[in-house]
Amino acid sequence: MEVDHTFALAEEILGHLLRFREAEAQEALNKAFSMFTLEKVTTDILGTLLVKVGTLWEMDRITIAMSTISLPFCAQK
């Protein structure tokens, strides 16, 4: 059975973004693009990140600054 690493990569990228470490988030995203198809990265990683950031913001678990760096990072890719 093949292990799907998309969840772990999404969590890694989110962790970097929420700590304002955009370079490390980019490195993790580059790793994802080297492992998976464009469609899988955009749907399973970036799409998941967008939803999670929105949910965390709605629940007041992240600041507006955190969402401001995270959302454009996902959208520009």
Side-chain angles (χ1 to χ4, degrees):
M1 183 174 161
E2 188 175 318
V3 176
D4 185 353
H5 298 283
T6 56
F7 178 78
L9 281 168
E11 289 294 310
E12 179 182 349
I13 293 167
L14 181 61
H16 291 311
L17 291 172
L18 296 182
R19 289 173 186 79
F20 303 102
R21 297 189 315 223
E22 194 171 355
E24 288 91 341
Q26 185 61 56
E27 287 179 26
L29 184 60
N30 290 343
K31 180 179 176 182
F33 277 119
S34 75
M35 296 172 64
F36 305 109
T37 65
L38 175 64
E39 181 179 349
K40 186 158 185 74
V41 173
T42 55
T43 302
D44 295 353
I45 296 178
L46 295 175
T48 298
L49 284 174
L50 287 170
V51 171
K52 186 151 189 180
V53 167
T55 301
L56 290 171
W57 184 77
E58 287 176 351
M59 297 170 58
D60 285 331
R61 304 240 354 248
I62 62 173
T63 65
I64 192 71
M66 292 170 165
S67 68
T68 299
I69 193 173
S70 300
L71 295 176
F73 177 87
C74 295
Q76 74 182 4
K77 308 305 175 197

